[in-house]
Amino acid sequence: MSTLAPLRLLREPWNASEGNQSNTTVGASSGWCQGLDIPNELFLALGLVSLVENLLVVAAILKNRNLHSPTYYFICCLAVSDMLVSISNLAEMLFMLLLEHGVLVMRPSIVRHMDNVIDMLICSSVVSSLSFLGVIAVDRYITIFYALRYHSIMTLQRAVVTMASVWLASTVSSTVLITYYHSNTILLCLISFFLFMLILMLVLYIHMFALARHHLNNISSQQKPPTAHHGGSLKGAVTLTILLGVFFICWGPFFFHLILIVTCPTNPFCTCFFSYFNLFLILIICNSVIDPLIYAFRSQELRRTLREVVTCSW
């Protein structure tokens, strides 16, 4: 997969001198350091699947008034963010293929502007996806631990302000990242943001997991037979484990890649790791495919509405 300006530089770190980088690449060019050749068709297929899935989620939430609540609005925004990941991936792929085959003929200055637009879309979708994953975690935490006060805490007005703030911050941060992508400071900010979101989700979900375990222990100590509540607590604990696992597996390698760019751009091990950049992008796109399955399709009401949308029962 061809990657545009900043993403290309993330794969080939700019803070390594040309000579050093070529030496380490030659020295580590055997075995697993060859990287992974991922066909363009796989990027396109995953992008299309993610686009359709998340488009269905957005359509279902907009259609069903019972889903017009802060929780589902946040899920809708996550779906939109994941759609942007898919759209930016598809737009980048098609743009590069058209240029390579001579179908599009543009001046270099116009190509650079197109690069910047697509890169801003990519960066904005990454930041907004991470942000809404954190917002959904906070929303679930409030739902569990402050159930009686949830509607007074998470009002529609606060939900709208939260969503607007995330989109504004994503747009501004992506603009800054594209403008100053040569700076290690920008990468450190992006890495810090990821670590903050990871720690936030980890703390919140561990606390919720502990509550589910506490409920299970209480049931066991009272020697009661399994109940629906017992199954619900266990299901909730398993869901939280899946959420954290998917988040770390899909996003971790990409941000570890960024950490290595800052810390050891010329190290042979790091150079080998850089060669798998396309795999890390595939994992991020896979996350856009998996998110609806975890956050949206588990809702019975949403699944019913999705069936209506698919069968055009408006």
Side-chain angles (χ1 to χ4, degrees):
M1 177 184 181
S2 301
T3 49
L4 301 178
L7 288 184
R8 186 188 300 117
L9 288 169
L10 291 183
R11 181 168 55 186
E12 301 171 1
W14 59 86
N15 40 353
S17 66
E18 216 170 281
N20 289 340
Q21 202 167 1
S22 61
N23 289 338
T24 54
T25 303
V26 171
S29 60
S30 60
W32 69 278
C33 294
Q34 292 289 342
L36 190 63
D37 185 21
I38 298 177
N40 292 337
E41 291 77 10
L42 181 58
F43 281 95
L44 288 172
L46 287 174
L48 287 173
V49 171
S50 172
L51 180 61
V52 171
E53 273 188 357
N54 288 286
L55 193 59
L56 286 173
V57 171
V58 173
I61 292 175
L62 293 178
K63 177 183 184 296
N64 191 338
R65 290 185 176 276
N66 294 331
L67 302 178
H68 292 183
S69 65
T71 297
Y72 284 102
Y73 286 151
F74 294 146
I75 291 176
C76 183
C77 284
L78 176 63
V80 172
S81 297
D82 287 338
M83 272 200 301
L84 287 179
V85 173
S86 305
I87 291 171
S88 58
N89 167 63
L90 294 173
E92 179 194 41
M93 178 67 65
L94 292 174
F95 181 61
M96 295 302 297
L97 287 176
L98 291 175
L99 285 177
E100 289 173 3
H101 289 83
V103 177
L104 278 181
V105 179
M106 297 181 176
R107 290 181 298 176
S109 59
I110 297 178
V111 172
R112 283 196 299 271
H113 287 307
M114 290 293 294
D115 284 356
N116 289 335
V117 170
I118 296 177
D119 284 330
M120 284 185 63
L121 189 61
I122 293 172
C123 296
S124 179
S125 62
V126 167
V127 174
S128 59
S129 292
L130 287 172
S131 299
F132 282 114
L133 286 171
V135 168
I136 291 172
V138 172
D139 181 73
R140 290 191 171 189
Y141 184 86
I142 296 173
T143 302
I144 292 175
F145 288 94
Y146 302 94
L148 298 178
R149 297 171 50 202
Y150 174 80
H151 293 291
S152 62
I153 295 173
M154 188 57 69
T155 62
L156 183 59
Q157 182 179 2
R158 287 176 180 168
V160 170
V161 170
T162 300
M163 291 184 289
S165 299
V166 169
W167 287 117
L168 179 61
S170 300
T171 304
V172 171
S173 61
S174 63
T175 303
V176 172
L177 180 60
I178 297 304
T179 305
Y180 301 103
Y181 61 83
H182 277 291
S183 172
N184 275 349
T185 304
I186 297 298
L187 283 185
L188 287 173
C189 290
L190 192 57
I191 293 167
S192 300
F193 174 68
F194 168 76
L195 293 176
F196 170 76
M197 297 307 303
L198 178 61
I199 293 171
L200 174 67
M201 294 178 64
L202 193 62
V203 171
L204 295 180
Y205 284 143
I206 285 177
H207 197 185
M208 288 186 274
F209 185 90
L211 179 65
R213 293 290 300 173
H214 178 68
H215 287 166
L216 291 176
N217 290 336
N218 284 343
I219 293 172
S220 300
S221 64
Q222 295 171 10
Q223 296 183 343
K224 292 183 178 180
T227 62
H229 179 75
H230 180 108
S233 297
L234 183 60
K235 182 180 178 180
V238 171
T239 299
L240 297 179
T241 304
I242 294 173
L243 288 175
L244 282 175
V246 169
F247 178 80
F248 186 78
I249 291 172
C250 291
W251 288 99
F254 176 77
F255 281 90
F256 185 60
H257 178 99
L258 299 187
I259 292 172
L260 295 184
I261 287 178
V262 175
T263 57
C264 60
T266 59
N267 183 279
F269 169 80
C270 299
T271 304
C272 287
F273 196 81
F274 297 152
S275 65
Y276 287 84
F277 183 74
N278 283 343
L279 175 61
F280 310 149
L281 293 182
I282 280 286
L283 289 175
I284 291 177
I285 299 172
C286 285
N287 185 78
S288 300
V289 174
I290 296 171
D291 276 347
L293 303 177
I294 297 177
Y295 292 95
F297 295 160
R298 292 175 64 87
S299 166
Q300 186 175 358
E301 179 79 9
L302 185 55
R303 288 200 304 271
R304 182 183 63 80
T305 310
L306 282 169
R307 282 194 294 270
E308 294 176 359
V309 171
V310 172
T311 57
C312 300
S313 303
W314 288 84

